[in-house]
Amino acid sequence: MDYYKITGGKKLKGEVKISGAKNAALPIIVASLLADGETVLCNVPNLKDVFTMLKVIECLGAETEYDAEKNILKIKTNKIKKAEIPYELVKTMRASVYVMGPMLARLGFADVSLPGGCAIGERPIDIHLAGFESLGAEIGIERGYVIAKAKKLKGTRFIMRKVSVGATINIMMAAVMADGETILENCAMEPDVVDCANFLMKMGAKIEGAGSEKIIIQGVKKLNPIHYTIMPDRIEAGTYLLAGAITRGDVTVTNVISEHVSALCSALSEIGFQIRRGKDWIRVLPGKKLRGIYVKTLPYPGFPTDLQAPIMALMTTLPGISVVNETIFENRFTHVGELRRMGAKIEVEGNMAIVHGGTQLSAAPVMMSDLRAGASLVLAALAAKGTTEIRRIYHSDRGYEKLSEKLSSLGADIKREKGGGY
Ligand code: UD1
């Protein structure tokens, strides 16, 4: 298995172009199933999760062709058929459950393995299923699979008991071809929801309010295949800004929607970094006096849970104490033990982590436990003294396109090596 060898201490400098958003690309890929014909998607990141989603839709008869150089994906959906989405795919990637919404809408049937728990918490899909039931689907669980059936979905009013990105998108995808009007309340307002809604609207769906707490959908009979460009990845952008910050370098991210990264930019300014930004770029520069910070993860537009582990790496290097309050997932501190191996002083109390800063991190062999925990280890290694070996990097392959190439282009000393066991 491949691993990263990172020698820390280099100040990162320069520009890095941000890829298409993984969390928008995944639902948009499955949403293409709603139309008959050829969908063409641009700015699709070359990521393991994208390939897993292609396998998911191929189970249903979709034909796919991906140009990794140009990041263009073509999906043909003329031969969609009923099929089961196996455990092997859903356990590799929970977002596979996104296929349920489009399957129900197009086939009136879904047979999808239930995801189990995962590294960052229990992560149930009860809200997705309650939304489908509210649209008139019958839901059963058999042999570990969700079997959902509906002759014809019917418009409904559904209030989500908790803000969920996945449930908002999945139920929205199911409702676009239902009979009549659907009103969804307490919706997630993440840009990924908006990008997926924009895709559906371009296909002919009638959706109002995506990006707010209330989404109103008028069902339509048919959607058309289209060409669409996936929005930039705000979490990837945030990770490179943090790479600039942790090395006290000068990094500019380009091809971003800078508004999507506002919560992180505010946090970096509060710490004392200088932030300059235009509509589609953001630059981070060192400030005169840095200090610790309190960060609470919240649904968008609050501070994203996906940048919680990455910013914690930065916190270890700041003067004084920083505090993280993780309110989205119950077990999202698996990076703490690994950061401690690099010398970080972090206490965890329930969903709070107290970081005693001012640490010169030092290299140690460490392992990624999930995608964003992995990013935090890469950041820590960039600032650490010595050469850090990071294993289980298949986690970061899920969500960061050309990670080592992009970091190298900013001046990082990072090598992707083959072998090395575990
Ligand atoms: C998505 C993102 C993930 C991000 C997360 C929160 C994708 C592919 N993944 O995950 O990167 O960290 O949003 O921004 O887009 N919940 C339930 N029942 C449900 C659904 C969710 O209790 O049916 C809970 C979850 O356990 C969690 C919270 O709701 O505590 C928010 O989860 P959700 O927004 O659904 O996250 P995902 O869509 O899985």
Side-chain angles (χ1 to χ4, degrees):
M1 273 198 270
D2 290 5
Y3 64 99
Y4 284 131
K5 241 177 161 173
I6 300 176
T7 305
K10 299 262 189 315
K11 285 184 197 294
L12 301 198
K13 272 198 169 64
E15 275 187 24
V16 59
K17 188 173 172 225
I18 298 308
S19 300
K22 167 180 89 76
N23 289 351
L26 296 177
I28 287 173
I29 289 170
V30 281
S32 71
L33 297 175
L34 291 166
D36 225 352
E38 186 178 81
T39 296
V40 180
L41 301 176
C42 300
N43 206 29
V44 177
N46 184 358
L47 297 173
K48 226 163 83 179
D49 274 6
V50 164
F51 293 109
T52 307
M53 198 55 108
L54 296 187
K55 282 193 194 145
V56 168
I57 62 169
E58 281 162 7
C59 290
L60 300 169
E63 293 166 55
T64 68
E65 192 186 315
Y66 182 57
D67 182 335
E69 285 301 307
K70 296 191 179 133
N71 295 98
I72 294 177
L73 173 64
K74 292 182 180 162
I75 303 170
K76 281 196 191 132
T77 55
N78 313 75
K79 296 179 195 155
I80 298 304
K81 55 173 200 277
K82 289 185 181 175
E84 125 190 336
I85 307 298
Y87 182 51
E88 284 64 47
L89 291 176
V90 183
K91 79 168 194 282
T92 316
M93 186 186 69
R94 300 177 54 82
S96 305
V97 299
Y98 272 140
V99 74
M100 289 179 80
M103 275 178 91
L104 263 176
R106 177 147 178 192
L107 301 165
F109 167 87
D111 181 356
V112 180
S113 170
L114 260 179
C118 82
I120 62 174
E122 211 183 305
R123 295 182 86 178
I125 57 161
D126 57 313
I127 306 170
H128 303 231
L129 300 184
F132 298 147
E133 265 178 339
S134 177
L135 283 162
E138 270 176 41
I139 308 278
I141 310 284
E142 289 170 25
R143 61 191 158 83
Y145 283 64
V146 180
I147 316 285
K149 288 180 196 156
K151 277 209 181 76
K152 181 75 187 144
L153 295 175
K154 289 197 178 61
T156 185
R157 175 162 179 255
F158 181 71
I159 305 173
M160 272 164 262
R161 71 163 174 84
K162 192 172 178 182
V163 176
S164 159
V165 177
T168 302
I169 294 179
N170 219 346
I171 301 165
M172 176 172 74
M173 291 191 292
V176 285
M177 291 209 291
D179 274 342
E181 180 178 85
T182 298
I183 300 177
L184 303 179
E185 292 189 63
N186 198 26
C187 294
M189 302 193 283
E190 264 68 1
D192 315 276
V193 175
V194 178
D195 209 36
C196 186
N198 286 341
F199 174 73
L200 293 167
M201 287 191 283
K202 199 171 172 198
M203 291 170 95
K206 297 215 167 90
I207 303 172
E208 268 173 55
S212 75
E213 284 163 35
K214 186 169 174 178
I215 299 180
I216 302 171
I217 301 161
Q218 309 295 338
V220 295
K221 294 229 152 35
K222 191 171 171 270
L223 295 176
N224 304 307
I226 54 159
H227 287 218
Y228 190 78
T229 300
I230 307 290
M231 71 171 190
D233 195 312
R234 66 200 162 97
I235 305 300
E236 190 200 13
T239 306
Y240 286 104
L241 289 172
L242 287 165
I246 202 168
T247 61
R248 310 297 188 260
D250 176 356
V251 167
T252 301
V253 291
T254 62
N255 188 39
V256 290
I257 297 172
S258 114
E259 193 195 329
H260 291 172
V261 196
S262 293
L264 175 69
C265 288
S266 301
L268 289 171
S269 298
E270 200 181 320
I271 291 168
F273 290 98
Q274 297 179 64
I275 297 288
R276 308 216 173 117
R277 56 202 291 210
K279 205 164 162 256
D280 60 358
W281 60 273
I282 308 170
R283 179 177 178 191
V284 60
L285 293 148
K288 287 207 181 76
K289 198 162 183 278
L290 303 183
R291 61 188 180 105
I293 191 180
Y294 170 73
V295 165
K296 181 176 183 175
T297 63
L298 287 168
Y300 188 85
F303 192 92
T305 172
D306 285 350
L307 288 176
Q308 178 262 109
I311 203 170
M312 199 185 290
L314 172 66
M315 288 170 166
T316 67
T317 70
L318 301 175
I321 287 179
S322 293
V323 176
V324 165
N325 183 358
E326 171 59 61
T327 75
I328 308 290
F329 292 110
E330 71 268 24
N331 184 28
R332 208 170 196 182
F333 285 144
T334 53
H335 46 288
V336 168
E338 300 299 294
L339 289 174
R340 283 191 192 129
R341 303 196 69 245
M342 299 178 74
K345 296 180 199 79
I346 306 170
E347 295 162 61
V348 173
E349 191 75 46
N351 65 347
M352 308 277 278
I354 296 131
V355 183
H356 299 266
T359 303
Q360 168 58 62
L361 295 168
S362 60
V366 287
M367 279 192 299
M368 295 186 181
S369 52
D370 72 57
L371 170 58
R372 307 303 171 185
S376 102
L377 298 180
V378 170
L379 294 174
L382 292 171
K385 201 158 182 248
T387 303
T388 299
E389 291 189 2
I390 307 179
R391 290 195 159 68
R392 303 201 176 165
I393 63 171
Y394 50 84
H395 287 294
S396 57
D397 290 343
R398 292 184 53 186
Y400 289 95
E401 186 176 50
K402 298 193 177 125
L403 179 66
S404 56
E405 287 93 327
K406 287 188 182 185
L407 285 172
S408 297
S409 77
L410 294 171
D413 185 346
I414 173 168
K415 288 187 189 70
R416 188 177 177 120
E417 305 277 359
K418 295 246 168 272
Y422 63 101

